[in-house]
Amino acid sequence: MKISDITPDYIRAISPYVPGKPVSDIAREFGLDEAQIIKLASNENPLGPSPKVVAAITRAAGELTRYPDGSGYDLKAMLAARYRVSADQIVLGNGSNDILELVAHAFLRPGKSAVFAQHSFAVYTLATQAFGAAGIEVPAREYGHDLAAMRAAIRDDTSVAWLANPNNPTGTWLPAAEIKAFIASVPSNVLVVLDEAYNEYLLPEQQADTASWLAEYPHLILSRTFSKAYGLAALRIGYGLMHADVAAMLNRVRQPFNVNSLAQAAAIAALEDTDYVRRSYALNRQGMQQLEAGFRRLALTFIPSHGNFICVKVGNAAKMNLALLRRGVIVRPVGNYGMPEFLRVTIGTAKENERFLDALAAVLQE
Ligand SMILES: *Cc1c(COP(=O)(O)O)cnc(C)c1O
């Protein structure tokens, strides 16, 4: 017997999350200069941090010996005003990944199940498995969520439905009316976690006031992050909006100081810096067009995306990925998402996009 055998079977069965490789790893592995490598693998913001955020962190650094505010009072007050909810409807997380895990921790266990779509965010499977619940993967339709099939897949033992809109890694998106109809159709004892990590990249006419739905649907949880359009991926901060009763359950399993003080200060500054989010959005729109045009020139199929990334069909993506890595271009193969012919590419700066397209054209010739 190995000591690791004493862990439950459902923990041993987990396939670990495969993150995008850091630049330093690739430099070492392929003998490249870090300065020549571009990383378009983890849907990070190519703008770099907002100077206002950097200033806020510098100020907060004077208080490093103190524990952070475990209630996140100031940040919650800002979010409450913005979404017109009360502070007790907000749970802050160490990344929105933390929110997803808190939901699983509080609401899933062996004997329960959770529903999610094929080609959806890996953390839904991971969080479900980590608490011993059964994952029900529902086949996608044209790479997007098949809401009718997801509704039909809900069983008596189902406690959670995970739903990303826009979805990662496919970039597909469903209109608010369809999402709302799904929430209304789901039994009220099943939580719907609507993960809106890429919400800020939607066109204004695609945006919906989903927070206003909370009053009507106590089984709805909205998940948002500062990692993408706000450019704070390194700090790990996100939040959930939900009914106060649900928040009270998440807070029972939340680490008392799960969100550090630099992240809280940064998030407040980031919310105030509306110009940064506007620039993130604009750069993403331009970059998306640039990549789409490049793919058309190369006669490559892509999945139209509503996020800050796009999936392009390249045949043997694992092989293509390796060839790109040799040229110092890090993107994400998505074979582990059931899409072995696709690469997911994060929208970068105009220069990064161009370098990626040049490298792609070159490796297609190899
Ligand atoms: C990136 C992403 C998140 C955000 O993760 P953080 O933990 O907040 O960095 C959440 N959901 C989806 C679908 C994502 O792609």
Side-chain angles (χ1 to χ4, degrees), residues 119 143 169 301-303 310-318 320-321 331-335 338-345:
H119 316 307
Y143 297 102
T301 305
F302 57 87
I303 305 172
I310 184 165
C311 282
V312 59
K313 199 170 185 178
V314 294
N316 185 343
M320 292 292 287
N321 181 54
V331 297
R332 183 76 70 98
V334 282
M339 299 165 67
E341 296 191 310
F342 286 87
L343 291 174
R344 191 196 67 191
V345 189

Side-chain angles (χ1 to χ4, degrees), residues 43 95-97 121 124 164 168 195 197-198 225 227-228 236-237:
N43 302 346
S96 60
N97 195 135
F121 193 38
Y124 307 149
N168 175 19
D195 181 344
Y198 300 98
T225 184
S227 297
K228 309 282 160 57
R236 314 303 307 124
I237 180 160

